[in-house]
Amino acid sequence: MGNCFRRWEKPSIYTVSSNAKSEFPKYERPSKKQMREDSKLPSNPKEVEDLRRDSAANPLIAFTFEELKIITGNFRQDRVLGGGGFGRVYKGFIREDLREGLQPLQVAVKVHDGDNSYQGHREWLAEVIFLGQLSHPNLVKLIGYCCEDDHRVLIYEYMAGGSVESNLFSRILPPLPWSIRMKIAFGAAIGLAFLHEAEKPVIYRDFKTSNILLDMDYNAKLSDFGLAKDGPVGDNTHVSTRIMGTHGYAAPEYIMTGKFL
Ligand SMILES: Nc1ncnc2c1ncn2[C@@H]1O[C@H](COP(=O)(O)OP(=O)(O)OP(=O)(O)O)[C@@H](O)[C@H]1O
Ligand SMILES: [Mg+2]
């Protein structure tokens, strides 16, 4: 694997903490100060792996970019599943002959779009660390990542039902029956409850229909932890009041007060 070297300084704490995530609204470009702070984050593959392994619940696979080309058919246009603030998402397939020990698996490969992306290394790292720590049937499973040169890629389990957004606004698919909608809402709520009730609670901060993914049976899984943040633990009840999320999806009382009520 190549090196994704950037100049970086050892962070003071090796935990998932607020300094691993963005503090700017999702669709604003990072300020110069933010970019300077970004350069302090671990971005050398070995350091990322050390940081991750410390708190890992999921064994993640570190893919090379060459392997991802094979998985996605060289990032073929007709494999594009969608795109967002981070970059494009491609459908891919891991064949067992890709590398010894790998099982065949359908995956979704989310590729950072360099300077065109509204998100960056912080969001990528937050996703790797949070989803590396957390495991639950209502959270999307992160299979692995790639951190090579300037490439930042996330590899997830493929969710064959797509996002709730694509189901709600599709011109092809029939409208979802209410029973299915309730099943999805229930699954997403269980995912949120798991995050809030975890030993180290997590505030998700990007709850919206495009981030709720579905399997073939309409089981809902939360995705996108790039904006997630540690919640209050014990007596330490302070959480940032900086308002984060996606316009149009945050609760009005949260936008008005900056507090999670
Ligand atoms: N694991 C996955 N399996 C199947 N499709 C996926 C998966 N992850 C993402 N997608 C598809 O890719 C689309 C884009 O996802 P992405 O998270 O990059 O952007 P978004 O959620 O639409 O916007 P934002 O950047 O604000 O989160 C999703 O809407 C979904 O259709
Ligand atoms: Mg998303």
Side-chain angles (χ1 to χ4, degrees):
M1 183 191 223
N3 240 352
C4 53
F5 261 117
R6 271 200 245 166
R7 205 165 53 77
W8 70 279
E9 292 160 25
K10 195 174 174 182
S12 53
I13 38 172
Y14 268 10
T15 57
V16 177
S17 65
S18 51
N19 68 357
K21 283 135 255 131
S22 166
E23 284 287 9
F24 45 83
K26 200 158 186 186
Y27 293 117
E28 264 176 33
R29 285 200 177 279
S31 64
K32 282 198 172 135
K33 178 169 174 272
Q34 190 73 57
M35 283 160 84
R36 267 200 307 277
E37 282 173 11
D38 270 10
S39 70
K40 295 178 188 168
L41 297 171
S43 58
N44 167 317
K46 180 178 178 311
E47 296 296 341
V48 169
E49 186 51 26
D50 287 349
L51 168 62
R52 208 193 58 70
R53 202 187 291 120
D54 275 355
S55 52
N58 294 335
L60 299 182
I61 303 167
F63 289 95
T64 65
F65 201 67
E66 279 306 311
E67 287 174 329
L68 295 180
K69 284 187 186 167
I70 298 169
I71 289 171
T72 58
N74 211 5
F75 302 103
R76 257 170 46 188
Q77 278 296 322
D78 60 358
R79 299 274 191 93
V80 174
L81 293 167
F86 189 83
R88 285 188 177 175
V89 183
Y90 297 83
K91 185 174 177 182
F93 189 74
I94 300 176
R95 286 167 42 150
E96 54 197 339
D97 60 2
L98 184 74
R99 202 198 287 181
E100 208 181 314
L102 292 184
Q103 300 295 321
L105 187 66
Q106 279 192 314
V107 287
V109 179
K110 191 186 278 194
V111 186
H112 187 248
D113 197 12
D115 289 345
N116 295 324
S117 172
Y118 289 93
Q119 298 171 29
H121 182 68
R122 273 170 187 263
E123 286 79 7
W124 176 87
L125 192 60
E127 188 95 356
V128 169
I129 294 171
F130 273 110
L131 279 181
Q133 276 187 347
L134 301 165
S135 174
H136 187 272
N138 296 106
L139 303 186
V140 72
K141 186 170 166 51
L142 185 66
I143 306 291
Y145 61 90
C146 171
C147 173
E148 192 180 298
D149 302 322
D150 284 340
H151 301 299
R152 296 292 180 279
V153 190
L154 298 157
I155 298 91
Y156 303 91
E157 64 175 317
Y158 172 66
M159 298 292 291
S163 69
V164 172
E165 181 183 58
S166 58
N167 278 267
L168 289 179
F169 299 110
S170 166
R171 293 191 182 152
I172 305 159
L173 301 169
L176 291 173
W178 280 107
S179 58
I180 296 287
R181 292 175 190 232
M182 290 308 293
K183 177 175 178 174
I184 294 169
F186 190 60
I190 293 176
L192 282 180
F194 168 76
L195 295 176
H196 296 171
E197 288 161 13
E199 192 184 339
K200 281 191 196 163
V202 173
I203 304 172
Y204 178 52
R205 302 206 295 186
D206 209 11
F207 190 60
K208 58 178 181 177
T209 52
S210 73
N211 284 345
I212 303 171
L213 301 178
L214 303 170
D215 68 12
M216 289 300 265
D217 299 320
Y218 297 102
N219 292 305
K221 302 197 184 201
L222 303 181
S223 72
D224 273 5
F225 283 72
L227 297 187
K229 199 172 182 66
D230 290 332
V233 179
D235 291 341
N236 182 6
T237 55
H238 173 78
V239 290
S240 166
T241 52
R242 180 84 191 265
I243 297 163
M244 297 292 295
T246 303
H247 292 300
Y249 284 93
E253 67 274 18
Y254 170 56
I255 292 177
M256 274 156 35
T257 64
K259 289 185 183 143
F260 299 100
L261 300 171

